[in-house]
Amino acid sequence: METELSKKLGVEHAIFGFTPFPAVAAAITRAGGFGVLGAVRYTAPDDLARDLDWMQEHTDGRPYGLDVVMPAKKVEGVTEADVEAMIPDGHRQFVQDTLAKHGVPELAEGEASGWRITGWMEEVARNQLDVAFDYPIKLLANALGSPPADVVRRAHDQDVLVAALAGSARHARHHADAGIDIVVAQGYEAGGHTGEIASMVLVPDVVDAVGPLPVLAAGGIGSGEQIAAGLALGAQGVWLGSLWLIAEEADLHSRALTRKLLAAGSGDTVRSRALTGKPARQLRTEWTDAWDDPSGPGTLPMPLQGLLVAEAVSRIQKYETGALLGTPVGQIVGRMNSERSVQAVFDDLTRGFERAVDRINRIAGRSAS
């Protein structure tokens, strides 16, 4: 599964694996792919530095990258406290009422929320970058599109490629104009923040829109056959995220959540604003239903929603409240039926890719080499 892009980055397989878990990211790199560590949960620079130190020790000198959540436009002088003050009291009450309805206990006195998505805040994201650029990362990816121009220049000055996710050809052209090196065409099926166009339509549209820039196919990919399809559509690799949530190396801190993922079908996800304020595909739960119910107050825009629900999500996760317990995940969850090591997943992906290539060769009347 080598492509021009994978050769440029020095990886055996054109499989880019996004994950919030350092152990998974390192295992992806060791298996011959390109591990990308998600930075959004690192609000303390020292924590990110600690895990990047660990990555350095466990990637055998092979390349890896970092994914941040950073808006292209900077808002001057706005602090997290300023944003918190914008949250209406009625929304706060709705959160408390929903938790009370399901009997979710309070956190212990003095216990801070362990889940707080603030990585899109300008100050937090830039602190992450100050740490990251002290390490030999080879790729900086941004989940909210093109990062600010000065960040792109800084990455290029350090020979770091920049990738940005796109949900339409229009977004992809904007990324190309901004000097992005790689466009991740993320289809509707994907977990997390995602657009409205399915991968089968989106990938060739983006390839045509930004060529010869390399494109990675993302969304609904969880088998070698699907990787072959992505490459056949013109992509130079694939971007996989959901698949790694049930890897043996993952650390979800919740067996109940793992069991829900293993049991879920491809129709058990929903694209909801409940988590961050932007449409994000996740497991459908009574929590997402409550926020999507027209009788409720409705979600707030990003980043207000993420700050509003941060403590609630921590409580739901800590006490494993089954009806409310969820996570961002794509429609590929229906194929995520067993816990395996990252290496075992790679073995399965490569075998599936070979089967697909052999099948196409037979259809085309060529013998497999």
Side-chain angles (χ1 to χ4, degrees):
M1 285 184 281
E2 282 189 330
T3 66
E4 183 179 344
L5 178 61
S6 67
K7 291 176 182 177
K8 181 177 182 177
L9 287 168
V11 296
E12 181 181 358
H13 303 302
I15 298 173
F16 293 71
F18 163 78
T19 174
F21 308 119
V24 176
I28 291 169
T29 287
R30 291 197 307 272
F34 191 98
V36 182
L37 178 65
V40 71
R41 67 190 180 94
Y42 293 100
T43 55
D46 289 347
D47 291 341
L48 178 58
R50 177 202 63 216
D51 282 356
L52 288 176
D53 283 338
W54 190 93
M55 290 277 293
Q56 278 292 103
E57 296 171 3
H58 293 85
T59 47
D60 299 337
R62 299 180 182 185
Y64 62 90
L66 193 75
D67 179 277
V68 298
V69 180
M70 193 173 194
K73 296 181 179 179
K74 181 177 181 179
V75 180
E76 297 284 356
V78 177
T79 67
E80 185 176 328
D82 294 331
V83 177
E84 287 269 14
M86 300 177 189
I87 298 173
D89 290 340
H91 281 73
R92 295 186 187 277
Q93 188 61 52
F94 180 77
V95 169
Q96 295 306 317
D97 290 346
T98 303
L99 295 176
K101 176 183 176 181
H102 291 274
V104 184
E106 298 275 355
L107 294 177
E109 185 175 353
E111 183 178 358
S113 167
W115 187 96
R116 198 157 183 81
I117 292 184
T118 56
W120 55 72
M121 301 289 289
E122 182 77 14
E123 180 182 358
V124 175
R126 287 188 177 274
N127 287 341
Q128 291 169 349
L129 294 178
D130 288 340
V131 171
F133 284 130
D134 285 337
Y135 292 82
I137 62 171
K138 298 300 182 184
L139 177 71
L140 175 67
N142 189 34
L144 286 184
S146 304
D150 68 296
V151 173
V152 176
R153 289 193 298 270
R154 185 178 179 187
H156 287 166
D157 287 344
Q158 297 191 212
D159 294 323
V160 175
L161 297 181
V162 181
L165 274 65
S168 71
R170 178 176 61 84
H171 293 157
R173 284 190 289 268
H174 174 77
H175 297 340
D177 292 341
I180 298 303
D181 305 291
I182 302 167
V183 176
V184 181
Q186 180 167 282
Y188 172 82
E189 308 95 326
H193 296 126
T194 190
E196 299 178 341
I197 303 173
S199 299
M200 185 64 73
V201 175
L202 179 66
V203 173
D205 278 356
V206 171
V207 169
D208 290 344
V210 301
L213 278 184
V215 173
L216 300 178
I221 300 174
S223 71
E225 289 84 353
Q226 290 168 309
I227 293 174
L231 299 186
L233 293 173
Q236 288 199 31
V238 294
W239 178 274
L240 309 183
S242 298
L243 196 63
W244 314 113
L245 288 173
I246 57 168
E248 290 177 352
E249 295 89 344
D251 186 14
L252 280 178
H253 297 297
S254 172
R255 290 306 302 171
L257 181 54
T258 298
R259 289 192 294 270
K260 289 189 75 169
L261 288 169
L262 292 172
S266 57
D268 292 330
T269 68
V270 63
R271 190 167 165 268
S272 171
R273 297 177 184 268
L275 192 61
T276 69
K278 283 184 175 291
R281 186 170 297 285
Q282 54 204 280
L283 281 179
R284 181 175 183 176
T285 66
E286 292 189 32
W287 178 255
T288 61
D289 287 349
W291 283 105
D292 295 337
D293 190 327
S295 67
T299 56
L300 297 170
M302 188 185 225
L304 300 181
Q305 183 72 15
L307 293 173
L308 168 66
V309 304
E311 181 180 320
V313 172
S314 287
R315 290 165 59 184
I316 292 166
Q317 291 177 345
K318 176 178 180 177
Y319 298 111
E320 296 191 329
T321 309
L324 305 180
L325 187 63
T327 186
V329 69
Q331 291 179 331
I332 196 63
V333 70
R335 297 178 64 96
M336 294 161 49
N337 300 318
S338 63
E339 294 177 81
R340 296 176 294 167
S341 69
V342 167
Q343 183 60 63
V345 172
F346 262 80
D347 292 343
D348 187 56
L349 293 175
T350 53
R351 284 192 296 266
F353 180 82
E354 291 167 356
R355 287 194 299 269
V357 171
D358 288 346
R359 187 180 305 124
I360 295 300
N361 279 332
R362 290 195 299 272
I363 293 171
R366 295 191 296 268
S367 59
S369 59

